Amino acid sequence: MMGTKSLVAFVLFALLVFEGYFTEKVLSATVTYDHRALVIDGKRRILQSGSIHYPRSTPEVWPEIIKKSKEGGLDVIETYVFWNYHEPVKGQYYFEGRFDLVRFVRTVQEAGLLVHLRIGPYACAEWNYGGFPIWLHFIPGIQFRTTNAPFKIEMKQFLAKIVEMMKKEHLFASQGGPIILAQVENEYGNIDGSYGVGGELYVKWAAETAVSLNTSVPWVMCVQDDAPDPIINTCNGFYCDRFTPNSPSKPKMWTENYSGWFLGFGNPIPFRPVEDLAFAVARFFETGGTFQNYYMYFGGTNFGRTAGGPLVATSYDYDAPIDEYGFLRQPKWGHLRDLHKAIKQCEEHMISSDPTQVQLGKNLEAHVYYKSSNECAAFLANYGSSLDANVIFNGNIYFLPAWSVSILPDCKNVIFNTAKVVSQRTLGDSSFSATTSVNDFILEPSSWSWYKERVGIWSNNSFMNSGLLEQIATTKDTRFGYGNHEDASFILDEKITLNHGNNTIDLLSMMIGVQNYGPWFDVAGAGIFYVALRDLKNNTNDLSFEEWTYQVRVFSSQRSLWTTGAAPPVNQSLIWYKVEFLAPEGKGPLALNLASMGKGQAWVNGQSIGRYWPAYLSPSSGCTNGSDCDYRGAYDPSKCLKNCGQPAQTLYHIPRTWVHIGENLLVLHEELGGDPSKISLRTKTGQEICAHVSETDPPPADSWNPNSEFISQNPEVQLTCERGWHITSINFASFGTPIGKCGTFALGACNADILSIVQQACLGQEGCSIPISTATLGDPCPGVLKSLAVEALCSD
C-alpha cells in the first residue's frame, strides 16, 4: 500500500558524451505530495498542465503541438486512455497509429514535459460510449461502474494492462519516465448517488485496485469528495478557487479547467473569453492551488466514429489555446503564456507558505505569499462582475478592473492583469476563415462515381422480431427528424397516405455517437421506441409490438455497383460518391469544405475524417458577436455563442499525412442530399496578426527581475508568426492615438509615422518586438496617453 507521503522515484537521465563513446548516468529523484503541492525531487512545484488526446490528432504532428504547449508555459500534458480503441475485441489489443500511447508519452518526454495519465478506464470526453468497448455491454450480468463482479474483472484487467505497458517501457517517474500522476475512474462523484451503496463500495474498490498496481506515482480521482487516502481528490469545472481537498494532507489540484466547450451538431459554437479563463486560473493559484490543467489545451478532431453521443460534432476544437488544426489561437494562447510567466515569477513565494487573505473592500481581496518576513508575492482580486475599483495595498494604489486579478511578484509591481490583453491577435474567426491567407480549391475532377442505395428491406441478412428492438443491441454500433446533444429524443409526426390493403412502412434509424455520460448510461437504449398510426378522428393504432423486419445496413464496394459520369446527381438521399483529386501543395493541414452537402460521413484515402451535417442549422438567436461577449461574471457553456442560424461545422480536418502527391480518393456517404460538385479544399498559406499596446500596460512578465526597477522598463508590442512563416509585410503601424480594432485600425488625431521603424524590426523575421518608448518612436503629442498598433502579414 502506498501511504499519503510515500516516495515516488523520479529518475532523470544525463548523457555524458566523450570521444566516440558515452555513458549513461542516472540521477534519482522523488515525487510525493504534501498539503501544498506535488513535490518533485524534494521541492514543491507549481504546475501548469494541458489536455491533449493523442487519437484526436496524428503522430506526425504530436511533436509540434507538444512543443507549442511547452512554449505556452505548460509543465505537464494530461491525456485519457481510450479503452474501446485499445481493446476493440475482447482480448485483442491495438496500440498503433493515432493510438500509439507509448509513442505519445515518449514524445512528451522528449519535449521535456511531464505526463498525467488518466487511465480511468471510463473517460467521458465526448468520446463514443465514454471510452468503454461495445463488447463490454454484452457480457452477461454486467453493470458498469458499480460493485459488479463482471465489470470489476474487466476494469482491473485493463488498468493492469496499461500500467504494465508503461512499466515495461520505463515510463513511470520512478523509472526515469515522465508520468508523475495517474487517474482512476472519472467524475464519478457527479452521478454516484444513483448507484447507492454499490457506488460507495465501487469507489473504495477502484482506489484499492489502483494503489495495488504499484505505479509508484500518486493516483487522483477527479470530482470525488470521498476519494479514500492516499488518492488525491481533485476539482473539475469552470472555476475551482473555492475547492478544498477532503484531507489537510492533500494539495489543491484542478484536473479540468474548461478552456471553452465542445460542439454539438445543431448548436451554435461556444467560446470562452480569455480574460475570464485567465481570471479563473489566477484566482485558483491566488487561493492556494498549485496544479491546474486546461481541458482542452489542444482539442483536435473526432476522426472516424470516435465522437460520443448524442450528436457530438466532428470538430473537438473546444476553443482551446491551440486550435483543431494545430495553429495558435490568439490572443488566448499568448495571454495565458504571459499569465504562466507571471505565476512562475511567484513560485518561490507560493511554495514557501500558505496564502494570507487580506480584505480590501467589497468583492475585493488580496492573498499574500511570504517567502520570508520581508519577501512576499501578492495576488490582488476584484471578483465583482460590474464595478472597477482602486484599492490600497501596502500603502500603494492599484487599479483593478472588474472580474480581474493582478499579480505582484514582489508585493509592489504589477506584472500582469487578467483583464488586460496585450498579446497579439490573429485576424479571422478561425484558422480557415476566408482571408487573404486562405485559398479555396474546387475539386474539378474529370469524372465522379456514385452508387444509390436501395430503400427498404432487400438483402438476405435481414431478420424479424416481434416488437421494436433497441438499436445498440441490434447493430453493436456498426456503421450505418433531429434531436440535439442536450435532448436527443424527438417525435416525428408526419401525415402519410395509405393504400387499400397491405402497406409497408420503412423506417431508417442512424445513431450519431453512443451516449458517453450519465448514470447507468450503459443501459440507456437508442433507436426507435414507438410507432403508431393515428387517423383523422385521433384513433391510434400502436404498431410498436407488431412483427418488424430488421436489416443492418452494410455497404458493399463492388465495382459493378458504381455509375460513372462527368456530373454527379445532386440532392439525392442515401447515395455514395467517390472522386479522385490532387492535393494542394504545401505542408500544412487541409480543410474539406462540405457546406454544400447534407449529412453523412467522409473518407480520404480510406481514412475516415468523421461525420458531417451542414444541413442542420443552429437556432437563429442567442448568439453574441465574438468579442462582444462580456467576460465579466460567471461563465457557462451558453453564455458566449457564435454562428447562430449556421451549421455547427462546414470545414472538416484532413491531416496532411493522409494525402499524397498524385491522385487521392474522396468517398462520401450522403444521407439527406447535397451537391458534391461544390466541395472544395482549403489551405492556409499565412496569417494576419496584430497587436495594440499602450504606454500604461506592464512590460513583459518575464522581464521582471527582483534586482532591477521594473517600472523603468517599457511595454512592448510582440509579434510572432507560426513556425516556418515570416513577416512579409506591415499593413498598419501607428504610434499615438490609433482607433478601431485589429483588422479595422485607423489613424487617430495623434500619429507618429513609424512604418519604417516597424518594417526594419520585423520584415523577414519569424517574430519581433517593438518597445513602446518616445525615445525610439518619437512623441507626436506630449502629455497625451499613447499606444502602438501594428498589423502584419505572415506567410511562407
Side-chain angles (χ1 to χ4, degrees):
M1 292 287 289
M2 180 175 65
T4 56
K5 292 189 177 180
S6 63
L7 299 181
V8 180
F10 180 68
V11 185
L12 303 176
F13 288 93
L15 295 179
L16 306 180
V17 181
F18 301 98
E19 299 172 319
Y21 72 95
F22 70 89
T23 62
E24 186 177 89
K25 183 178 180 181
V26 179
L27 304 176
S28 69
T30 58
V31 178
T32 183
Y33 64 83
D34 62 18
H35 80 287
R36 278 296 293 130
L38 292 176
V39 181
I40 299 178
D41 197 18
K43 185 175 182 178
R44 292 171 176 169
R45 290 289 305 275
I46 304 297
L47 296 172
Q48 306 289 352
S49 175
S51 290
I52 299 173
H53 296 159
Y54 50 100
R56 283 175 159 145
S57 60
T58 59
E60 293 79 11
V61 299
W62 290 345
E64 180 66 12
I65 292 170
I66 292 166
K67 185 175 183 179
K68 288 179 176 179
S69 302
K70 183 177 182 179
E71 292 169 347
L74 296 193
D75 307 290
V76 182
I77 299 299
E78 184 178 284
T79 186
Y80 284 121
V81 177
F82 300 92
W83 187 2
N84 55 352
Y85 277 79
H86 288 310
E87 193 179 4
V89 177
K90 181 174 169 57
Q92 298 180 20
Y93 296 98
Y94 181 80
F95 291 93
E96 298 176 19
R98 297 183 357 254
F99 294 91
D100 191 338
L101 177 59
V102 168
R103 179 177 175 181
F104 179 77
V105 174
R106 288 203 183 283
T107 304
V108 176
Q109 182 180 25
E110 289 163 3
L113 298 181
L114 305 172
V115 172
H116 177 197
L117 194 64
R118 307 177 78 185
I119 306 175
Y122 169 68
C124 184
E126 292 72 58
W127 188 267
N128 203 41
Y129 215 29
F132 287 137
I134 287 293
W135 56 260
L136 205 64
H137 181 87
F138 300 96
I139 294 177
I142 199 166
Q143 292 180 330
F144 292 7
R145 306 176 77 193
T146 187
T147 183
N148 171 268
F151 178 74
K152 291 195 292 184
I153 289 171
E154 298 298 335
M155 174 173 164
K156 183 175 182 179
Q157 184 169 301
F158 184 74
L159 284 171
K161 172 73 176 179
I162 298 301
V163 168
E164 289 306 311
M165 175 181 288
M166 298 300 106
K167 286 181 179 180
K168 181 180 178 181
E169 299 293 334
H170 302 283
L171 293 175
F172 283 109
S174 60
Q175 303 170 294
I179 301 173
I180 60 167
L181 284 172
Q183 179 177 301
V184 65
E185 248 298 329
N186 185 56
E187 295 184 323
Y188 191 66
N190 287 338
I191 50 97
D192 58 5
S194 299
Y195 295 85
V197 175
E200 296 175 11
L201 294 173
Y202 168 66
V203 169
K204 293 179 181 178
W205 170 85
E208 292 170 357
T209 299
V211 172
S212 72
L213 295 173
N214 297 316
T215 60
S216 70
V217 301
W219 285 86
V220 305
M221 280 184 166
C222 64
V223 196
Q224 197 65 53
D225 292 341
D226 60 348
D229 291 344
I231 308 294
I232 306 170
N233 66 304
T234 65
C235 182
N236 289 2
F238 291 108
Y239 309 94
C240 283
D241 50 293
R242 308 284 185 185
F243 170 73
T244 301
N246 65 9
S247 167
S249 66
K250 298 176 183 179
K252 180 175 179 176
M253 298 176 61
W254 190 1
T255 38
E256 290 190 14
N257 174 11
Y258 306 117
S259 58
W261 201 242
F262 64 89
L263 180 63
F265 285 123
N267 288 350
I269 300 174
F271 64 97
R272 187 179 186 186
V274 68
E275 297 92 335
D276 174 66
L277 181 56
F279 170 77
V281 173
R283 284 288 284 166
F284 177 72
F285 286 101
E286 173 191 352
T287 56
T290 52
F291 177 103
Q292 79 89 24
N293 175 79
Y294 296 101
Y295 188 99
M296 303 292 295
Y297 197 77
F298 163 78
T301 306
N302 290 319
F303 295 116
R305 302 178 66 254
T306 58
L311 280 67
V312 173
T314 297
S315 171
Y316 203 67
D317 180 87
Y318 225 92
D319 197 38
I322 302 176
D323 74 15
E324 177 182 4
Y325 296 88
F327 296 110
L328 301 182
R329 172 170 278 111
Q330 300 284 24
K332 183 168 278 189
W333 183 89
H335 193 53
L336 296 177
R337 174 205 57 198
D338 295 344
L339 168 63
H340 303 153
K341 289 179 179 180
I343 293 173
K344 186 65 68 176
Q345 297 279 25
C346 304
E347 182 169 8
E348 291 303 313
H349 300 80
M350 295 171 68
I351 63 176
S352 299
S353 67
D354 294 326
T356 300
Q357 183 180 11
V358 179
Q359 202 64 37
L360 301 176
K362 183 180 180 181
N363 297 331
L364 302 166
E365 64 184 10
H367 285 81
V368 185
Y369 291 92
Y370 288 95
K371 185 178 179 181
S372 65
S373 59
N374 59 354
E375 292 182 281
C376 66
F379 292 73
L380 311 184
N382 179 351
Y383 53 91
S385 60
S386 58
L387 299 178
D388 300 339
N390 288 301
V391 300
I392 298 176
F393 175 73
N394 281 358
N396 296 316
I397 298 176
Y398 298 91
F399 174 69
L400 286 176
W403 206 254
S404 79
V405 175
S406 286
I407 299 176
L408 294 68
D410 56 359
C411 281
K412 178 182 177 182
N413 290 294
V414 175
I415 66 170
F416 184 86
N417 178 273
T418 59
K420 292 185 177 182
V421 180
V422 298
S423 61
Q424 74 179 48
R425 299 173 185 267
T426 303
L427 272 65
D429 192 41
S430 66
S431 285
F432 285 89
S433 295
T435 67
T436 57
S437 301
V438 171
N439 295 326
D440 259 319
F441 296 87
I442 302 296
L443 298 184
E444 297 183 324
S446 59
S447 65
W448 285 81
S449 297
W450 60 91
Y451 164 69
K452 186 79 167 66
E453 286 193 29
R454 292 170 59 184
V455 175
I457 305 298
W458 48 267
S459 79
N460 58 10
N461 65 355
S462 61
F463 60 93
M464 302 183 74
N465 189 76
S466 297
L468 296 168
L469 290 175
E470 188 276 316
Q471 190 161 332
I472 297 175
T474 306
T475 66
K476 296 180 173 58
D477 194 35
T478 51
R479 203 212 67 76
F480 78 101
Y482 315 147
N484 55 45
H485 177 77
E486 290 70 33
D487 183 8
S489 62
F490 64 95
I491 296 175
L492 178 66
D493 197 340
E494 288 288 328
K495 185 177 181 179
I496 62 174
T497 301
L498 298 177
N499 299 322
H500 290 291
N502 292 328
N503 291 265
T504 299
I505 297 176
D506 293 314
L507 302 173
L508 176 63
S509 176
M510 298 183 181
M511 287 190 295
I512 307 174
V514 181
Q515 188 165 331
N516 59 262
Y517 180 76
W520 303 105
F521 78 86
D522 52 302
V523 296
I528 299 169
F529 291 94
Y530 175 75
V531 180
L533 295 175
R534 187 177 65 248
D535 63 21
L536 296 177
K537 297 180 179 179
N538 280 330
N539 296 314
T540 300
N541 180 13
D542 187 352
L543 304 179
S544 305
F545 299 97
E546 297 297 322
E547 190 168 81
W548 290 84
T549 303
Y550 283 83
Q551 179 177 309
V552 178
R553 306 185 72 87
V554 179
F555 172 65
S556 172
S557 59
Q558 296 177 30
R559 185 172 299 178
S560 61
L561 299 176
W562 294 90
T563 301
T564 300
V570 301
N571 300 323
Q572 299 287 307
S573 61
L574 295 179
I575 187 171
W576 292 79
Y577 298 103
K578 67 178 180 179
V579 65
E580 292 185 337
F581 68 94
L582 298 176
E585 294 181 355
K587 298 180 180 179
L590 303 172
L592 186 67
N593 188 346
L594 294 175
S596 65
M597 302 304 289
K599 174 180 180 286
Q601 297 184 60
W603 294 261
V604 172
N605 293 329
Q607 298 275 9
S608 173
I609 63 171
R611 299 183 178 96
Y612 64 86
W613 201 351
Y616 195 1
L617 305 183
S618 65
S620 58
S621 61
C623 282
T624 53
N625 293 319
S627 60
D628 293 339
C629 184
D630 190 348
Y631 69 85
R632 300 174 302 175
Y635 178 83
D636 65 65
S638 63
K639 180 179 180 181
C640 300
L641 303 172
K642 59 187 178 183
N643 280 33
C644 279
Q646 302 295 319
Q649 184 178 358
T650 58
L651 300 178
Y652 293 81
H653 179 202
I654 303 176
R656 176 62 70 164
T657 54
W658 287 8
V659 297
H660 49 253
I661 297 172
E663 297 286 352
N664 295 270
L665 180 65
L666 170 65
V667 176
L668 303 164
H669 180 232
E670 174 58 47
E671 299 168 13
L672 299 179
D675 186 350
S677 67
K678 296 179 180 178
I679 294 174
S680 64
L681 282 167
R682 283 190 177 180
T683 63
K684 188 176 177 70
T685 58
Q687 59 184 168
E688 293 152 285
I689 60 177
C690 54
H692 192 188
V693 182
S694 80
E695 291 178 303
T696 60
D697 287 323
D702 55 357
S703 68
W704 180 81
N705 187 314
N707 300 317
S708 64
E709 190 64 28
F710 185 68
I711 197 170
S712 66
Q713 300 183 48
N714 296 313
E716 297 178 2
V717 160
Q718 297 181 334
L719 298 174
T720 304
C721 298
E722 290 281 345
R723 214 175 328 273
W725 291 342
H726 297 82
I727 297 173
T728 53
S729 67
I730 304 298
N731 301 332
F732 182 89
S734 173
F735 179 59
T737 57
I739 58 176
K741 299 179 179 180
C742 286
T744 60
F745 282 138
L747 299 178
C750 167
N751 172 59
D753 184 4
I754 58 161
L755 181 60
S756 61
I757 297 175
V758 176
Q759 288 175 331
Q760 184 175 359
C762 300
L763 287 181
Q765 304 298 315
E766 190 172 285
C768 61
S769 60
I770 304 147
I772 299 176
S773 165
T774 55
T776 304
L777 304 177
D779 192 349
C781 43
V784 175
L785 177 64
K786 292 171 283 294
S787 62
L788 173 61
V790 179
E791 286 183 12
L793 175 66
C794 298
S795 69
D796 55 1

